[in-house]
Amino acid sequence: MVTSTVTTTTSTVRARAEGHALDRAVELAERGPIAGGNPRVGCVLLDPTGAVLGEGLHLGAGSPHAEAVALSAVPASRRAELSGATAVLTLEPCHHHGRTPPCSQALHDAGVTRVVHAVADPDETAAGGAAWLRSVGVEALTSADAGIAPAATARAEELTRSWAAAVRRRRPWLVAKTATSLDGRVAAADGTSRWITGPASRAHAHSVRADTDAVVVGTGTVAADDPALTARDADGPLAEQPLRVVVGERDVPPAARLRRGPGQWHHVRTHDLTAVLEELYGFGARHVLLEGGPTLLGAALRAGLVDELHAYVAPVLVGGGTAAVRDLGVTTITDALRWRTVSTQRLGDDLFLIARPEGAQ
Amino acid sequence: MVTSTVTTTTSTVRARAEGHALDRAVELAERGPIAGGNPRVGCVLLDPTGAVLGEGLHLGAGSPHAEAVALSAVPASRRAELSGATAVLTLEPCHHHGRTPPCSQALHDAGVTRVVHAVADPDETAAGGAAWLRSVGVEALTSADAGIAPAATARAEELTRSWAAAVRRRRPWLVAKTATSLDGRVAAADGTSRWITGPASRAHAHSVRADTDAVVVGTGTVAADDPALTARDADGPLAEQPLRVVVGERDVPPAARLRRGPGQWHHVRTHDLTAVLEELYGFGARHVLLEGGPTLLGAALRAGLVDELHAYVAPVLVGGGTAAVRDLGVTTITDALRWRTVSTQRLGDDLFLIARPEGAQ
């Protein structure tokens, strides 16, 4: 009886310490880049008393994985304590020789005897880390099995959701952006559209571009708006630029702004957005931003390809002109596409809403 | 030198006490009804030490004014202290014999020797209260002249803004409501529109109806949507209903829902919304809600009659159908109507935004 109580108390204390470590791992991971093809991952190493030995995050493709960063962050004076240590991770440790050795092996080699992860690795070539660890005698388990509070696991899932969905489907996570007036217009009758939304919305949209692997527009938008599609901040274009992709059979005019740098652009002469997304996945893209126009957005929505809607709505009324989306095939209101609001934010005078399809996570 | 310092300190202390009293008066006034034709007013009576003697608010046409309520709220044991007391008011005391005697006189008769008000009475027939009080030796001044912090005065101005604007212009304050999809649609191609926004938005819209004197729609909306236009809550129609007004030359079908109770309805066979609003003002309406449709909203906007926009935006995409507003005469984006966002709120999955014309208070 006494033994059982002590055991319960010990595992409760451990679950709490590991829950804090998972929260911290998420916090670290969020500092990593969304773009670049790799998941954002955080790792916290704990000694048997629950004190932090080292922590790390993954800074993107070509950089060491979070586990390696955390292991190398342990001070020399405490390296011996790695023997018997616990690793708490947002994502299951990888188990393949990529540009870095498998993290499963690195954790085991360092003496770690317990590995807790929140999200299973959806990548067939990298998965199996937990199973291998168990096969060599390491206690490898999920955060749920470790008794960690569901909220911490949910944060890790949200952090990893878009990348994991892309890898599982072998198709990038697609965010569709609209920037409209209150009456849903993206341009006036004469085609002018600069600017409907305000400076705070536009700055926000640039930061989203910077976090994406590719920005996609239709040839119609190139003809109508001649967008540069670069990611800029107050100081001008950023050093890292998403790939700019034009979709459609029309030519891209020689003087089009997106032909000029910085960064690369690419024209895909098709209307088949699924094929375009698969091609972009092959290039390593996991996050793609669709910036219009109304026809391409309609096609993406009809095909069920849009994972997330980013809607900037300005307190402006136009009364006519170009609507944000065309050709949804909806004739009666019960067939309208309904989304679930994930978050809302005020940006200057504008509203910003993130939504996902009803039923999606 | 010493005397001057003491004086400054005394007036600072007094301004702070009167500022708190004005905040409290606003808080009281906000509990009063917006509909009914009268302003929302709060009154706090202070003794010379700054302690509260009594407080009151105006509960609408036919009820005693806030000043009378506050005077009668002073306990019998403290009535003698009214001699030399200060009245702090959100609105200048009235000076006309309406359904109640002038508040200017009532305050003076009670022995009040200082009257501080935030907003001047814009009503020609009721104004002059402060001037008359000064003429009989009462220290009557504005909250700004009394040294009260501007934030408290701003709250009183916001509280009184719509009613005061209506009275100054002899035309009701006009709120235009839109309930749209993210792409600005109020109905699908087949005319169906139930429901685009969610239950939280619809409940909110009913509470706004309950706070208005009249709800206006065009004959086109009656034909398309057959709205009841009653103010309802979870238990059904409210006891007090706004006047339901149909504008336009077409007939209102005999079976139209709005012909049925509760409350009254009225058909004005004109497209001249200015004339309609003036007529409603004559009936005592100070707050009017325009609920569509797109043609009437366009006409109201073109005529510059809309004081405030209430936009409910649902995370829904329709891709076609009826747009929220028509015929604004805007052909290029720089001519679009731009509004200033006053507040935003999330209602379930929907967004709710209140905006006023740029440049308006």
Side-chain angles (χ1 to χ4, degrees), chain A residues 81-247:
Chain A
E81 295 174 60
L82 280 170
S83 187
T86 294
V88 177
L89 288 152
T90 58
L91 182 67
E92 183 181 357
C94 74
H95 190 58
H96 74 133
H97 286 269
R99 281 171 281 199
T100 55
C103 294
S104 48
Q105 178 128 31
L107 291 170
H108 179 53
D109 290 353
V112 169
T113 53
R114 182 175 160 94
V115 176
V116 178
H117 72 267
V119 177
D121 196 322
D123 188 345
E124 280 175 26
T125 60
W132 179 84
L133 283 164
R134 279 192 291 270
S135 76
V136 295
V138 172
E139 189 184 14
L141 68 177
T142 63
S143 51
D145 289 342
I148 289 178
T153 300
R155 278 190 286 273
E157 283 167 350
E158 178 59 29
L159 170 86
T160 317
R161 187 177 320 287
S162 54
W163 175 85
V167 167
R168 241 184 343 256
R169 298 175 322 202
R170 308 194 70 73
R171 192 182 78 214
W173 178 264
L174 186 63
V175 172
K177 169 195 154 184
T178 59
T180 66
S181 63
L182 268 178
D183 56 332
R185 305 297 174 168
V186 294
D190 68 352
T192 52
S193 61
R194 289 193 185 120
W195 294 109
I196 290 174
T197 52
S201 287
R202 301 203 304 275
H204 187 278
H206 277 286
S207 77
V208 172
R209 270 188 197 158
D211 277 340
T212 203
D213 296 309
V215 179
V216 174
V217 294
T219 48
T221 295
V222 174
D225 295 345
D226 190 20
L229 291 184
T230 46
R232 301 181 291 276
D233 65 12
D235 299 327
L238 305 178
E240 298 276 334
Q241 290 288 334
L243 176 67
R244 288 160 295 156
V245 180
V246 184
V247 173

